[in-house]
């Protein structure tokens, strides 16, 4: 029959004596080690008698050594031979100082960092493919629901996110595009004046704004504004275990959280790109009007005749791709947040950096594609 670990402290004689009784095993220790340490206090000269202990294991021996002190003398312990050997083994193990592994230096450190970086990129690529696959499944399911059961789609969340992530960004997109168009017009007018071709500043503004700067400025601003917001929102929910609770209740986080953000950004970025186009052309027109004395009617006529709608369609064709990339990166980084604030900060930063990098790469790919198609 097992008995709980107990002890008694007798302070008479030359030195205090602690007598242990019962079973000093992992299942029967209870709070005996804590009470023993409190009873001993600062006593250094101490005798220990464990001959009355019925059973002793490594947990009990370690608890006794911690309570008495790591520098206690085994010669002051009265014990049966088998118990004495166990105390000797555990005491020797406790006294061993673990040496920290030597940190790699020089070329070794560089190879270790490169290897970890390559492994990290590989894991990120696998996680990205898994995220993309899950997202495509949810999008296909939502497309089916659109015709079979529209009530399954979270329209309220989509419209709310479209207003917050898209429509609220119209002022900053318009102001930024206005100044970009003005800068392009000013640089074009100054450079073309050397060749007596100031009038072609209109075509330069039209092509630059309609084809590149409208979508680039819009996408970069949304990467800093919406991608970071998506990552922070989903990351906070992940930290508070709200996403885990949704999964326990049978709610798919992709359908409830990722899909509304994906659709909202996909629906609003063409509007923001159109606003950026108008604002950029207006900024360039103002510069041309003031610097070159070319009126708005002349500016708009040359845009229609010489630039045309092809460049506008090229710029607008990039908008859905940019929206999908920004929303996907923001949501994926948010779902990868761990349980601490540091992880949240790293993921929010990564969302913005990765989104801007992806925007530049996609725009370069589109440029090569349209160049091959001669568009």
């Amino acid at each position: 029959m097992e008995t709980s670990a107990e002890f008694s402290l007798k302070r008479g004689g030359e030195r205090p004596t602690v007598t242990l009784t019962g079973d000093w095993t992992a299942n029967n220790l209870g709070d005996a080690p804590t009470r023993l340490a409190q009873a001993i206090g600062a006593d250094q000269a101490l005798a220990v008698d464990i001959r009355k202990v019925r059973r002793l294991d490594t947990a009990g021996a370690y608890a006794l050594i911690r309570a008495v002190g790591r520098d206690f003398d085994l010669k002051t312990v009265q014990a049966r031979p088998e118990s004495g050997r166990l105390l000797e083994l555990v005491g020797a193990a406790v006294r061993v100082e673990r040496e920290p592994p030597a940190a790699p230096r020089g070329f070794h450190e560089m190879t270790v960092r490169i290897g970890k970086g390559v492994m990290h990129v590989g894991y990120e690529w696998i996680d990205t493919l898994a995220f993309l696959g899950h997202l495509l499944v949810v999008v296909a399911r939502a497309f089916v629901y659109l015709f079979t059961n529209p009530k399954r789609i979270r329209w309220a969340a989509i419209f709310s996110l479209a207003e917050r992530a898209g429509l609220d960004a119209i002022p900053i997109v318009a102001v930024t595009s206005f100044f970009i168009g003005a800068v392009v017009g000013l640089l074009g007018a100054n450079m073309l004046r050397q060749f007596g071709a100031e009038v072609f500043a209109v075509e330069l503004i039209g092509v630059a704004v309609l084809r590149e700067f409208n979508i680039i400025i819009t996408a970069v601003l949304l990467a800093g504004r919406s991608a970071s917001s998506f990552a922070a929102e989903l990351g906070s929910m992940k930290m508070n275990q709200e996403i885990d609770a949704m999964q326990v209740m049978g709610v798919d986080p992709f359908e409830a959280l990722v899909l509304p953000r994906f659709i909202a950004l996909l629906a609003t970025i063409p509007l923001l790109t159109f606003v950026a186009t108008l604002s950029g052309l207006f900024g360039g027109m103002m510069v041309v009007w003031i610097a070159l004395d070319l009126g708005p009617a002349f500016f708009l006529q040359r845009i229609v005749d010489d630039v045309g709608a092809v460049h506008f369609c090229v710029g607008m064709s990039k908008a859905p791709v940019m929206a999908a990339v920004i929303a996907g990166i923001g949501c994926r980084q948010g779902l990868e947040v761990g349980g601490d604030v540091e992880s949240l900060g790293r993921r929010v930063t990564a969302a913005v950096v990765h989104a801007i990098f992806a925007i530049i790469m996609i725009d370069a790919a589109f440029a090569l594609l349209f160049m091959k198609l001669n568009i």
Side-chain angles (χ1 to χ4, degrees):
M1 180 178 178
E2 295 184 354
T3 57
S4 59
E6 292 294 339
F7 68 92
S8 60
L9 178 62
K10 188 179 299 183
R11 294 187 179 275
E14 296 181 358
R15 62 173 65 185
T17 302
V18 175
T19 303
L20 274 58
T21 58
D23 293 327
W24 281 71
T25 59
N27 295 330
N28 299 287
L29 285 176
D31 62 344
T34 304
R35 291 187 288 109
L36 176 60
Q38 294 174 352
I40 294 175
D43 289 334
Q44 297 295 327
L46 187 71
V48 180
D49 185 359
I50 61 173
R51 290 174 296 181
K52 296 183 180 180
V53 173
R54 294 180 63 251
R55 291 192 301 171
L56 178 69
D57 61 4
T58 54
Y62 179 64
L64 174 60
I65 292 173
R66 288 193 60 185
V68 176
R70 294 177 58 182
D71 54 349
F72 81 104
D73 190 359
L74 286 173
K75 296 179 181 179
T76 63
V77 179
Q78 301 179 29
R80 298 191 300 271
E82 64 274 12
S83 299
R85 287 194 298 270
L86 181 60
L87 277 176
E88 184 178 359
L89 290 174
V90 175
V94 169
R95 291 187 178 90
V96 173
E97 296 291 341
R98 296 183 58 186
E99 296 183 0
R105 297 178 180 276
F107 181 75
H108 184 200
E109 180 184 8
M110 183 183 69
T111 56
V112 169
R113 295 183 63 179
I114 293 176
K116 289 182 178 180
V118 172
M119 294 297 296
H120 178 72
V121 170
Y123 290 138
E124 287 287 324
W125 177 250
I126 294 173
D127 293 341
T128 300
L129 292 179
F131 177 88
L132 180 60
H134 198 164
L135 181 60
L136 290 177
V137 171
V138 172
V139 171
R141 190 187 307 161
F143 185 76
V144 174
Y145 290 155
L146 183 63
F147 298 99
T148 59
N149 189 11
K151 294 182 180 179
R152 285 290 302 271
I153 301 176
R154 301 173 182 269
W155 298 107
I158 291 174
F159 284 111
S160 175
L161 289 167
E163 179 183 3
R164 181 161 52 86
L167 299 182
D168 290 348
I170 288 179
I172 184 65
V173 170
V175 172
T176 306
S177 299
F178 174 84
F179 285 108
I180 291 295
V183 169
V184 172
L186 188 61
L187 291 176
N190 289 335
M191 293 183 63
L192 293 173
R193 184 178 288 116
Q194 304 174 18
F195 309 99
E198 299 95 329
V199 68
F200 290 104
V202 177
E203 283 79 358
L204 176 62
I205 295 169
V207 173
V209 172
L210 292 175
R211 192 181 185 97
E212 294 294 338
F213 286 116
N214 56 355
I215 182 60
I216 290 296
I217 296 302
T218 302
V220 169
L221 289 176
L222 287 182
R225 190 177 184 278
S226 299
S228 60
S229 175
F230 293 167
E233 291 170 357
L234 298 184
S236 298
M237 297 180 68
K238 187 74 177 294
M239 290 175 58
N240 295 329
Q241 298 182 343
E242 297 178 31
I243 295 179
D244 296 336
M246 294 174 62
Q247 292 176 335
V248 170
M249 293 187 294
V251 179
D252 187 0
F254 275 75
E255 185 175 337
L257 301 176
V258 177
L259 184 62
R261 288 167 170 79
F262 182 82
I263 297 177
L265 213 58
L266 199 65
T268 55
I269 198 170
L271 174 62
L272 292 174
T273 306
F274 182 73
V275 171
T277 302
L278 295 181
S279 181
L281 291 177
F282 182 70
M285 183 183 67
M286 294 299 296
V287 169
V288 170
W289 191 5
I290 296 172
L292 303 179
D293 198 22
L294 301 176
F298 178 81
F299 180 89
L300 295 177
Q301 188 62 43
R302 289 189 69 91
I303 290 291
V304 174
D305 294 340
D306 298 336
V307 179
V310 175
H311 297 291
F312 175 72
C313 294
V314 168
M316 294 296 293
S317 65
K318 305 175 187 177
V321 181
M322 299 295 188
V325 169
I326 294 170
I329 291 177
C331 294
R332 181 190 174 276
Q333 294 296 332
L335 293 176
E336 293 294 328
V337 171
D340 55 348
V341 180
E342 183 181 357
S343 174
L344 177 63
R346 288 198 310 267
R347 290 297 178 175
V348 171
T349 303
V352 178
V353 174
H354 292 179
I356 294 177
F357 177 78
I359 289 167
I360 303 302
M361 293 295 294
I362 292 172
D363 185 70
F366 270 111
L368 292 175
L369 176 63
F370 289 130
M371 183 181 65
K372 290 294 183 180
L373 297 177
N374 197 23
I375 298 178

